[in-house]
Amino acid sequence: MRLVARAVSHLGALVLLATLWLLSAAAQAQGIESVLSPGKVVQSHAKVEADCKSCHVKFDRAAQDRLCSDCHKDIAADVRDKSGFHGRKLATQPSACRDCHTDHKGRNARIVELDVKAFDHTGLADWSLRGAHIKTECKSCHLPGKKWREAPQDCLSCHKKDDTHKGTLGPKCADCHTETDWKKTTFDHDKTRFALKDKHADAKCGDCHRDSNYRETPRTCIGCHRKDDEQLIKGRRGHQGQYGEKCETCHTAKAWKPSTFNHDVDTKYLLKGKHKPLECKACHTGHLYKQPVKSDCLSCHLKDDKHKGTLGKDCASCHNERGWKDQGKFDHDKTKFPLLGKHVEAECKACHKSQVFNEAPKDCIGCHEKDDKHDKTLGRDCGACHGERDWKTTKGKFDHDKTQFPLRNGHAVPKLECKACHKSLKDMRKTPLDCLSCHKKDDKHEGQLGARCESCHTDKTWKTTIGFDHAKTRFPLTGRHITTVCKDCHTTGARFKDAPMDCWSCHKKADKHKQTLGTACESCHNTRSWGLWNFDHDRQTSYRLEGPHAKVACITCHARPAPAGKKVAPTGNTCIACHRKDDVHDGAFGNRCEQCHVVDKWKRIINRGMSPPPVLPATPSVTPPAKPPAGTNRSPS
């Protein structure tokens, strides 16, 4: 038992000695590392300078990056998310922390050297510089004493002094302003409670929003146009509040003048005759609501009463709104001379030369002697041919159908005056009977088709033709062309062969493509309806439309007018030809977008991790690309 006890005692002593020796060796090694330190670390690492293992692991240099990430958690998060400067750079160029950041060069050493002039802000930062930001100095956003990553990304942090709204519109400056020019806004006023229409669309912001106060701007007309209602403008004084404050009752934003107030609909007093063109103030001399206008005639026309009240106040019993001198309600038919035809419109004084009305003559020649163009060769019985409806229209005993030229249709009385054919009213029998003698000035053919007008025209109407079959010409009429009037195509009158035979010459105004798709309209449209068109881009061209391209409007890609003799203007067959503005890489990855992007969805990336393709010179091609192989999911986009 004593031997066993002694052996155990010796074993414990050996263990104790071994432990002390290991501790001494560790302390000695730590002391050696301190002695062999290459120099002092920077000030930010000074607190861990004595503890080498905070940054180093023996015999494992790769572990140093892990220790860096443990302290710099924000950078570690960027690397993990492939965002920020470190995340973007290490995603394409993996390297160790010590390759860029060196230490042990003294407390004031700079362990970060960044070439700000050559820095790719678009490719290596989360904030792409656009517009005016491209020329902005770094220190304008990256303030001294702050980390580069701490630069704000909201507009107001940098542009607070430029905020003329004084915070009333919130911090989202980008809703209205752009990076190109702070003073140019893209605000859509139609999404507010006051959509800008007509003349309001041309108004400057400051006209309504005084002192950049946008939320308290009035939305009523009188709120902005009170001065137009009260002040003297261009020599004319406004309503002076006489018509109230509901300007929109009469005025619109399309034009302040003329007024849109409809007196016949909006009031109980219809404006007729001479009342219709009168200005409002002619009758409304007081306040519209406090001093209403009376509706009787004498209230306004007291100065016009030539009878001086002898016939009472019922002016309307004789006069009407067409004219004060028009005795509209007097019934002349109850006299010995009923008024018929043009006599109804004649003024009283035309026949009644004096106040003795019975002295007026009752036969035609008594008043119309100066109108007798026959120089009395046909006697005094004017009523035998002429009637009260029109002196130039004949009626009565004379029957033109008993002559060699019966009057039919367009020649019939009263559509045609006698003098139209009878140039001399004193010699009416020598009037020619052929069409051209009277209608030479109407011959739009300029004599090319001869003198037999009746072969195509009728006496019903000169514009109606008979017997002409357009199907026998070089241009048969089909579809909507059948109902089209001749002059729409034959713009040179009767020179029918001058009419063009191609669609474009007649349908220029209907070309919504602005010549970007050429002049061969028939390749898509037909004569049944201009709005019905059919064009199969996949079969009729060598450029197959896939994915979202199938829904894009033609003019989106074909934006330039077609050259002479060409169907369409040449378009590039590369993605970048149309999507240069979508290239967030600013050309850094060349123009072969299809290596990473797909036509179905631009934001879905393929071939991640590949080296950037070489930058090729942009050479637009005029030859459309060949159809892609079956099953491929790539297409120029």
Side-chain angles (χ1 to χ4, degrees):
M1 292 296 291
R2 290 180 179 177
L3 291 175
V4 174
R6 183 177 296 175
V8 171
S9 176
H10 286 299
L11 181 59
L14 291 174
V15 172
L16 178 60
L17 289 173
T19 302
L20 293 175
W21 182 82
L22 290 174
L23 292 174
S24 175
Q28 183 179 5
Q30 184 63 43
I32 292 173
E33 290 178 351
S34 299
V35 172
L36 297 178
S37 173
K40 291 186 176 296
V41 298
V42 293
Q43 183 62 41
S44 59
H45 290 164
K47 60 182 179 180
V48 296
E49 185 176 36
D51 189 7
C52 299
K53 64 182 180 181
S54 296
C55 299
H56 303 282
V57 177
K58 293 178 181 180
F59 310 113
D60 188 1
R61 298 187 66 185
Q64 183 177 353
D65 289 350
R66 183 179 68 253
L67 295 176
C68 294
S69 299
D70 292 341
C71 284
H72 300 281
K73 299 185 182 301
D74 50 356
I75 296 177
D78 288 347
V79 173
R80 184 174 57 253
D81 298 336
K82 295 182 180 181
S83 63
F85 170 69
H86 290 87
R88 289 172 177 264
K89 185 173 182 63
L90 294 179
T92 57
Q93 301 176 8
S95 61
C97 301
R98 62 178 174 274
D99 293 345
C100 299
H101 306 288
T102 60
D103 207 339
H104 293 287
K105 293 185 177 181
R107 290 285 191 265
N108 298 323
R110 292 178 58 85
I111 64 173
V112 178
E113 293 293 341
L114 184 64
D115 187 355
V116 295
K117 294 184 178 179
F119 183 73
D120 183 7
H121 212 287
T122 300
L124 297 177
D126 293 335
W127 178 272
S128 298
L129 297 182
R130 298 187 180 93
H133 288 159
I134 297 176
K135 299 180 180 180
T136 303
E137 295 183 1
C138 303
K139 63 182 180 181
S140 298
C141 300
H142 300 282
L143 303 179
K146 296 285 187 179
K147 295 181 180 180
W148 294 95
R149 64 183 296 110
E150 294 179 355
Q153 296 189 19
D154 63 299
C155 305
L156 202 59
S157 295
C158 290
H159 294 281
K160 190 172 184 179
K161 64 180 183 299
D162 300 321
D163 182 19
T164 57
H165 316 299
K166 300 178 182 180
T168 58
L169 298 184
K172 295 183 179 180
C173 310
D175 288 347
C176 301
H177 301 276
T178 65
E179 302 96 334
T180 305
D181 190 345
W182 182 262
K183 295 183 179 180
K184 291 182 179 180
T185 62
T186 58
F187 180 70
D188 187 0
H189 211 288
D190 291 345
K191 295 181 180 179
T192 67
R193 290 179 294 174
F194 193 94
L196 297 182
K197 298 179 180 179
D198 302 323
K199 290 292 185 180
H200 286 159
D202 300 330
K204 296 180 179 180
C205 303
D207 293 343
C208 301
H209 302 286
R210 307 296 170 83
D211 300 326
S212 299
N213 189 347
Y214 290 83
R215 295 189 182 277
E216 297 180 3
T217 303
R219 295 195 298 275
T220 61
C221 303
I222 199 67
C224 289
H225 294 281
R226 187 177 297 277
K227 65 179 182 181
D228 299 326
D229 185 62
E230 298 177 354
Q231 295 179 356
L232 184 66
I233 302 176
K234 294 183 179 181
R236 302 185 67 178
R237 189 169 296 279
H239 305 309
Q240 298 290 308
Q242 179 181 348
Y243 299 152
E245 296 186 348
K246 294 182 179 181
C247 311
E248 64 276 9
T249 304
C250 302
H251 302 280
T252 66
K254 188 174 184 180
W256 189 260
K257 293 181 180 180
S259 168
T260 58
F261 182 75
N262 190 336
H263 208 285
D264 295 346
V265 176
D266 299 333
T267 70
K268 297 180 180 180
Y269 191 88
L270 275 66
L271 297 182
K272 300 178 181 179
K274 295 290 186 178
H275 288 163
K276 201 172 188 66
L278 289 178
E279 293 186 5
C280 305
K281 64 182 180 180
C283 299
H284 299 281
T285 56
H287 194 281
L288 182 64
Y289 303 105
K290 297 179 181 179
Q291 298 175 353
V293 177
K294 296 181 180 180
S295 58
D296 64 288
C297 304
L298 207 58
S299 295
C300 289
H301 294 283
L302 184 61
K303 64 180 183 299
D304 299 321
D305 183 19
K306 304 301 181 181
H307 312 297
K308 299 180 180 181
T310 58
L311 298 182
K313 296 182 179 181
D314 188 13
C315 309
S317 60
C318 295
H319 301 279
N320 56 55
E321 301 90 343
R322 288 180 297 179
W324 185 259
K325 297 179 180 180
D326 185 4
Q327 297 180 4
K329 292 188 176 181
F330 179 76
D331 190 1
H332 209 285
D333 293 343
K334 294 181 180 180
T335 67
K336 295 180 181 179
F337 194 92
L339 298 182
L340 304 174
K342 288 290 185 178
H343 290 160
V344 175
E345 301 174 4
E347 295 182 359
C348 301
K349 66 180 181 180
C351 300
H352 299 284
K353 305 299 182 181
S354 68
Q355 296 294 328
V356 182
F357 299 121
N358 289 332
E359 293 179 355
K362 296 181 178 59
D363 61 325
C364 303
I365 201 68
C367 289
H368 294 283
E369 186 174 359
K370 65 180 183 297
D371 300 320
D372 181 18
K373 304 300 181 181
H374 308 294
D375 196 18
K376 299 181 181 179
T377 58
L378 298 182
R380 298 175 58 90
D381 188 12
C382 308
C385 296
H386 300 280
E388 302 89 353
R389 291 180 299 174
D390 191 347
W391 182 260
K392 297 178 181 180
T393 301
T394 60
K395 71 160 193 177
K397 296 180 181 179
F398 183 74
D399 187 359
H400 210 286
D401 290 343
K402 294 181 180 180
T403 68
Q404 294 178 323
F405 197 96
L407 299 183
R408 299 284 187 272
N409 299 319
H411 292 153
V413 176
K415 293 182 179 180
L416 196 65
E417 296 180 357
C418 300
K419 69 178 182 179
C421 300
H422 300 286
K423 303 302 181 181
S424 175
L425 296 179
K426 298 180 181 180
D427 193 2
M428 305 178 72
R429 295 184 179 274
K430 295 182 180 181
T431 303
L433 303 179
D434 64 297
C435 303
L436 201 60
S437 296
C438 288
H439 293 282
K440 190 173 184 179
K441 64 180 184 298
D442 301 321
D443 180 22
K444 305 301 182 181
H445 313 296
E446 300 178 0
Q448 293 180 354
L449 302 183
R452 296 191 58 188
C453 309
E454 65 275 15
S455 61
C456 293
H457 300 278
T458 67
D459 59 1
K460 187 174 183 179
T461 172
W462 185 261
K463 296 181 179 180
T464 301
T465 59
I466 57 174
F468 182 74
D469 187 0
H470 211 287
K472 296 179 180 180
T473 68
R474 294 179 298 168
F475 194 95
L477 299 182
T478 60
R480 297 291 295 275
H481 288 163
I482 296 176
T483 58
T484 302
V485 295
C486 305
K487 67 179 181 180
D488 287 350
C489 299
H490 299 284
T491 58
T492 58
R495 296 183 178 275
F496 299 120
K497 293 185 178 181
D498 294 343
M501 299 179 64
D502 62 299
C503 306
W504 170 255
S505 297
C506 289
H507 294 281
K508 289 181 181 179
K509 294 182 179 179
D511 181 24
K512 305 299 183 181
H513 315 298
K514 301 179 180 178
Q515 301 186 32
T516 58
L517 300 183
T519 59
C521 313
E522 64 276 9
S523 61
C524 296
H525 301 277
N526 56 66
T527 59
R528 288 179 298 168
S529 173
W530 187 263
L532 295 176
W533 62 274
N534 183 21
F535 185 81
D536 191 341
H537 206 284
D538 294 347
R539 293 186 177 183
Q540 293 179 243
T541 71
S542 57
Y543 192 99
R544 187 177 180 182
L545 298 182
E546 298 180 357
H549 287 165
K551 300 179 181 179
V552 174
C554 305
I555 199 171
T556 303
C557 299
H558 300 283
R560 294 183 296 132
K566 299 290 184 179
K567 289 187 177 181
V568 294
T571 57
N573 61 355
T574 62
C575 304
I576 203 68
C578 290
H579 293 280
R580 187 173 297 279
K581 63 178 181 299
D582 301 321
D583 181 20
V584 297
H585 313 299
D586 288 343
F589 291 164
N591 56 11
R592 298 184 63 188
C593 311
E594 68 274 9
Q595 286 192 343
C596 297
H597 299 275
V598 296
V599 69
D600 294 331
K601 189 173 183 182
W602 183 264
K603 294 184 178 181
R604 185 161 67 88
I605 307 300
I606 61 175
N607 297 333
R608 291 185 180 271
M610 290 182 62
S611 298
V615 178
L616 300 178
T619 56
S621 173
V622 297
T623 304
K627 293 184 178 180
T632 183
N633 61 350
R634 303 180 186 175
S635 175
S637 175

